[in-house]
Amino acid sequence: MAIMSQLFWGVTVGALTVTASAIGKILLAVGVIGGLGWWALRRRLRDP
């Protein structure tokens, strides 16, 4: 029974780690793309 508990715990922690990593990467990508878009828009509006 202890082996099953350890296996379940390992799978759970692994899944949470993968999910957190994926969310972090998505947020980073959205931030970079949004920042570049904002920078380009500001630059375009400033220099007619």
Side-chain angles (χ1 to χ4, degrees):
M1 192 66 172
I3 294 173
M4 291 299 290
S5 175
Q6 289 177 350
L7 179 63
F8 176 75
W9 183 253
V11 169
T12 302
V13 170
L16 289 174
T17 302
V18 168
T19 302
S21 176
I23 290 172
K25 288 178 185 177
I26 289 170
L27 289 176
L28 181 63
V30 167
V32 168
I33 292 169
L36 287 174
W38 177 254
W39 176 77
L41 181 64
R42 274 189 38 214
R43 190 169 176 205
R44 180 176 291 188
L45 291 176
R46 191 181 331 149
D47 297 330

